[in-house]
Amino acid sequence: MWLLLDSSACRNAQGYGCLGLAVVWAYAVGVLSLVFSWTALRLVNVRPAWLTALLGVGIGWYVPWSSRGSGWLPGESWLAQSALYVAAFALAAWFTQSRRPLWPRAAVTLALVLLMPLGSLAATQTAQSRQNSELAAAGVPLLGPNLPAGYYMNGVGTIGSSAEMQPTFYYRFTPDRLRKGADTMDELHQEIQVVVGPVQPGFTPPSHCAALTSVYPVPSPACTPVAPGVWRRSNYDYVEYFTRVGDAVAVVQANTPPVSEAVLRNLATTMRVRTPSYFSAR
């Protein structure tokens, strides 16, 4: 597949040419695998060759697909892939034998059926563990608010420290009705962005309220105190709330409307230091 997509014929194809080749080849690989496997099994007198080939190709596709991201399978080396397909065809040959009893094959079938939900669960746990480790190493206090009603947290990530950039992390709150994600500009304006980082020298509210900016000299707009350690600044419908907790500051950003000012104020005033699991569980 990669050789095909990287070829000059594919890159220079007109219209749906390259995409069409990729789609056709994706189906052709399965058909060719089935035909060649059936032919090879007949030559070595494996019977029933067609059923063994069908099961071998199916198991060889299903197991990696259902286990992606779980970390159960070895890497993408040719040796690992070859061993996987050998095991798939050996299992297929064992399945097609007529010997009794049938319960071992029923047990293996049940295990294969359960592989997909278990693999999905393992992939989720692996992703959460990886995110927790990333957040723990962020180098800045993990400030998070009380989750507002009607919103869910997503898009959690970090930006590492470098000579030009201080360590920060970020996340956003999206309305529950946009569970599939925000696509249009109107939908993006319904999201609330939060960025957390160390307090910069230029952040001296209420006279100077620029926080987490890489611009130098730092712009210094004024802001309005709204609560202890919390300030507000607006530029037409674009609103920013700044919350300082110790040596860190959280910047809550959104457009009002459509985001409610009360929601932004609640987020800004409930900022506390959280554990990494707080962000993975949302």
Side-chain angles (χ1 to χ4, degrees):
M1 177 66 80
W2 283 113
L3 289 173
L4 173 70
L5 295 179
D6 196 46
S7 65
S8 59
C10 188
R11 291 197 305 268
N12 299 328
Q14 300 295 322
Y16 293 103
C18 190
L19 177 62
L21 283 174
V23 171
V24 170
W25 186 247
Y27 286 101
V29 165
V31 175
L32 292 175
S33 297
L34 180 61
V35 171
F36 289 144
S37 300
W38 171 73
T39 304
L41 292 172
R42 283 191 62 85
L43 291 176
V44 295
N45 293 321
V46 174
R47 298 293 185 272
W50 70 271
L51 184 56
T52 305
L54 183 62
L55 285 176
V57 172
I59 295 173
W61 168 84
Y62 171 77
V63 172
W65 177 79
S66 60
S67 304
R68 330 176 263 197
S70 64
W72 291 346
L73 297 178
E76 296 294 327
S77 67
W78 288 106
L79 182 61
Q81 292 185 18
S82 299
L84 175 64
Y85 281 104
V86 168
F89 276 91
L91 186 61
W94 176 73
F95 262 115
T96 56
Q97 300 305 305
S98 60
R99 295 191 303 267
R100 296 178 182 274
L102 297 178
W103 68 264
R105 276 170 280 183
V108 173
T109 301
L110 179 61
L112 289 175
V113 170
L114 293 177
L115 188 62
M116 183 163 55
L118 292 177
S120 177
L121 178 61
T124 300
Q125 296 297 325
T126 301
Q128 288 186 353
S129 178
R130 187 182 300 115
Q131 180 176 285
N132 287 348
S133 299
E134 181 183 346
L135 290 173
V140 65
L142 305 179
L143 301 184
N146 295 342
L147 184 67
Y151 287 84
Y152 69 98
M153 180 187 294
N154 67 340
V156 181
T158 64
I159 300 176
S161 177
S162 66
E164 299 82 15
M165 186 179 299
Q166 291 180 309
T168 61
F169 84 100
Y170 53 86
Y171 51 91
R172 65 181 181 270
F173 293 102
T174 305
D176 288 336
R177 61 181 175 274
L178 299 179
R179 279 285 175 179
K180 294 183 178 180
D183 297 322
T184 67
M185 188 59 65
D186 289 340
E187 291 176 342
L188 289 173
H189 284 169
Q190 298 177 41
E191 293 188 318
I192 304 169
Q193 308 291 333
V194 182
V195 184
V196 182
V199 174
Q200 296 177 333
F203 181 64
T204 56
S207 57
H208 303 284
C209 298
L212 308 181
T213 176
S214 59
V215 179
Y216 188 83
V218 177
S220 55
C223 53
T224 305
V226 296
V230 181
W231 301 267
R232 178 188 182 277
R233 184 173 72 88
S234 64
N235 183 13
Y236 298 100
D237 62 341
Y238 185 71
V239 176
E240 290 181 307
Y241 276 85
F242 306 93
T243 303
R244 178 168 182 169
V245 179
D247 294 330
V249 60
V251 183
V252 182
Q253 308 164 328
N255 290 79
T256 58
V259 179
S260 167
E261 187 84 36
V263 171
L264 295 180
R265 184 184 296 264
N266 178 66
L267 292 175
T269 56
T270 59
M271 283 288 174
R272 301 291 184 272
V273 178
R274 311 287 184 174
T275 61
S277 59
Y278 167 87
F279 301 94
S280 295
R282 299 292 172 171

